Amino acid sequence: EAGVAQSPRYKIIEKRQSVAFWCNPISGHATLYWYQQILGQGPKLLIQFQNNGVVDDSQLPKDRFSAERLKGVDSTLKIQPAKLEDSAVYLCASSYTGSTEAFFGQGTRLTVV
Amino acid sequence: EDQVTQSPEALRLQEGESSSLNCSYTVSGLRGLFWYRQDPGKGPEFLFTLYSAGEEKEKERLKATLTKKESFLHITAPKPEDSATYLCAVPVDSGYALNFGKGTSLLVTP
């Protein structure tokens, strides 16, 4: 079974630039999560999708972050404009509906300079 | 207020030296306590889910236990390949996403 795919693996941008991350979940997983993991911290939930609808985006900084999952499969997370404090690993995870057992991708390491 | 607190932050063991990692939680109506392993440059990898006090689960050299206030991850006779960060998590209020602790970074030296 293929795992959660994310791209790119690494990205370096200057502050105030924009960046986008892509995620393809495990086939059949209707629930998709984006987490932010700052160095030395545990992952923090940014947004949760159920199919193509948003379930929880309470911790998403909506003035600069946006995410979509238009066809209920792939998802894109965008940051515009980026700040230095956005430097982190962005993890995508997916699960079956109603399950807390989530499977994570390898993440995208973002460095904002 | 943090729902999940892990200790110690870092732990260094000699190969074969058994020890335990702690995860304390402050949630009512626990709907699962999760342990994940994270290697450098990779996403968290699921290890165990525990649902009720007294429950235990084992996988190779790892055993997870749960009480009403905390969970322990016991590592018996660890090997260098057990070196990783171990994360503990509980579900967020009324949802299925996870609220993670900061993790324990384990280093096992030969």
Side-chain angles (χ1 to χ4, degrees):
Chain A
E1 178 182 78
V4 176
Q6 290 189 245
S7 67
R9 287 295 316 277
Y10 307 94
K11 190 76 176 178
I12 301 175
I13 62 172
E14 295 183 350
K15 59 184 179 183
R16 292 187 290 272
Q17 286 188 324
S18 62
V19 65
F21 314 127
W22 173 83
C23 172
N24 179 247
I26 292 172
S27 178
H29 283 191
T31 305
L32 185 147
Y33 308 88
W34 284 101
Y35 286 86
Q36 179 193 58
Q37 187 173 25
I38 293 172
L39 186 65
Q41 305 285 318
K44 184 187 86 170
L45 178 70
L46 291 175
I47 189 167
Q48 176 186 346
F49 290 96
Q50 178 65 26
N51 295 307
N52 60 350
V54 175
V55 174
D56 183 356
D57 64 356
S58 58
Q59 298 191 74
L60 187 73
K62 299 180 186 64
D63 58 334
R64 298 183 299 105
F65 286 66
S66 64
E68 59 184 13
R69 194 183 183 199
L70 293 175
K71 296 184 179 179
V73 180
D74 293 3
S75 177
T76 302
L77 177 69
K78 297 180 181 178
I79 307 175
Q80 181 179 15
K83 293 185 175 182
L84 296 177
E85 58 260 37
D86 298 332
S87 294
V89 175
Y90 291 85
L91 295 162
C92 179
S94 68
S95 70
Y96 288 111
T97 300
S99 171
T100 42
E101 186 174 333
F103 295 84
F104 285 80
Q106 295 205 61
T108 296
R109 180 176 296 278
L110 173 68
T111 302
V112 183
V113 298
Chain B
E1 179 186 344
D2 287 342
Q3 289 188 312
V4 180
T5 303
Q6 293 189 246
S7 62
E9 289 187 9
L11 181 62
R12 183 181 182 129
L13 299 173
Q14 290 271 350
E15 185 171 3
E17 179 187 0
S18 300
S19 188
S20 297
L21 313 182
N22 176 265
C23 171
S24 62
Y25 61 92
T26 54
V27 295
S28 57
L30 184 68
R31 297 182 293 115
L33 186 294
F34 296 76
W35 283 98
Y36 280 80
R37 168 187 171 133
Q38 186 172 26
D39 292 296
K42 295 192 175 182
E45 176 187 352
F46 173 77
L47 291 173
F48 305 109
T49 309
L50 303 166
Y51 289 101
S52 57
E55 188 175 359
E56 299 183 352
K57 288 191 176 175
E58 291 188 59
K59 181 179 181 179
E60 297 182 357
R61 295 174 292 282
L62 300 177
K63 183 170 80 172
T65 62
L66 183 66
T67 72
K68 290 186 177 180
K69 295 183 178 180
E70 57 192 349
S71 177
F72 293 93
L73 185 64
H74 306 277
I75 303 175
T76 302
K79 297 183 178 181
E81 53 262 42
D82 294 322
S83 298
T85 295
Y86 291 85
L87 296 163
C88 169
V90 297
V92 300
D93 293 340
S94 304
Y96 296 98
L98 294 175
N99 188 8
F100 284 88
K102 294 182 178 180
T104 294
S105 177
L106 174 65
L107 176 63
V108 182
T109 58

